Amino acid sequence: MRLNEDPAAFEAFYRRHVDAVMRFVVRRVSDPHLAADLTADIFLAVLDSAHTYVPGRGTEIAWLYGVARNIVSARHRQAAREARANGRVAGRRLMDDDDLVRMEERIDAERRLRGSLEAMRGLPEGERAVLELVAIDQLTVAEVAEVLGIRQVTVRVRLHRARRALERVASPSAPVYVEGQA
């Protein structure tokens, strides 16, 4: 079929089959607006796929019903996906202005922690691992030593170095104490 190349042929095809397509659609959907949209979508799909029609394989109405069935089925699948998505958010309260204010307060309160975490990324791996296990995971020095397979004194040294490095980042203008200097 050359429906997409010949407007008169498409018009004749449309006029021949629009009532049958509309009946097909309204048996499957109850919303008149959706039925009209689906009918239009079916004829648009016909324009796009007219080259796939092979007269020897069946009548044009059978081919047209195949196109219609695919369009209607796709719409039902889309509606099912939307219903599942709506079901996932149903019963969940959307954020109101007070929620947003509380969220902004939390973000501001966590800003210092984010800065510390960013500074931790610059630490050597051994110091960072010790600091994370102590400060974030709340492990004791003995537990950290066991987790990392190192001595407790090594944990204490690494922890001290990591804290000093973070203090320098947190307040770069603060004087750094160096042992042995007065």
Side-chain angles (χ1 to χ4, degrees):
M1 260 190 279
R2 301 282 179 211
L3 297 177
N4 55 350
E5 297 172 5
D6 184 359
F10 178 73
E11 182 180 354
F13 179 86
Y14 178 84
R15 289 184 187 277
R16 261 191 328 272
H17 300 296
V18 68
D19 289 334
V21 169
M22 184 63 80
R23 282 191 307 272
F24 178 88
V25 171
V26 297
R27 284 191 302 267
R28 287 158 177 80
V29 298
S30 59
D31 178 5
H33 298 287
L34 179 58
D37 288 347
L38 287 170
T39 300
D41 290 345
I42 290 164
F43 282 100
L44 286 173
V46 163
L47 280 174
D48 288 340
S49 61
H51 66 280
T52 66
Y53 172 65
V54 179
R57 294 171 95 188
T59 65
E60 66 182 24
I61 193 70
W63 174 78
L64 178 59
Y65 274 28
V67 172
R69 187 181 63 77
N70 289 337
I71 297 296
V72 172
S73 294
R75 174 60 185 118
H76 286 306
R77 286 190 303 274
Q78 178 187 5
R81 281 191 305 274
E82 289 173 2
R84 283 192 304 274
N86 288 335
R88 286 193 295 265
V89 297
R92 295 185 180 156
R93 186 174 57 90
L94 298 177
M95 293 179 70
D96 61 18
D97 290 340
D98 290 338
D99 294 328
L100 289 174
V101 167
R102 282 191 295 277
M103 185 65 73
E104 289 172 349
E105 289 170 353
R106 286 181 184 168
I107 289 170
D108 289 341
E110 298 296 327
R111 185 166 283 128
R112 184 173 172 198
L113 177 60
R114 283 194 306 278
S116 296
L117 291 173
E118 185 63 35
M120 285 175 62
R121 289 194 234 307
L123 293 174
E125 175 59 32
E127 292 175 16
R128 184 174 63 243
V130 166
L131 188 61
E132 287 174 354
L133 291 169
V134 170
I136 297 172
D137 297 315
Q138 301 292 304
L139 297 182
T140 66
V141 170
E143 292 168 329
V144 172
E146 185 177 331
V147 168
L148 296 178
I150 58 177
R151 297 179 313 149
Q152 288 185 31
V153 69
T154 305
V155 170
R156 286 188 191 94
V157 169
R158 289 181 183 176
L159 185 58
H160 175 74
R161 288 179 183 161
R163 286 178 174 159
R164 293 284 301 267
L166 289 181
E167 286 172 3
R168 285 192 298 273
V169 170
S171 54
S173 60
V176 177
Y177 172 76
V178 178
E179 290 185 45
Q181 289 185 342

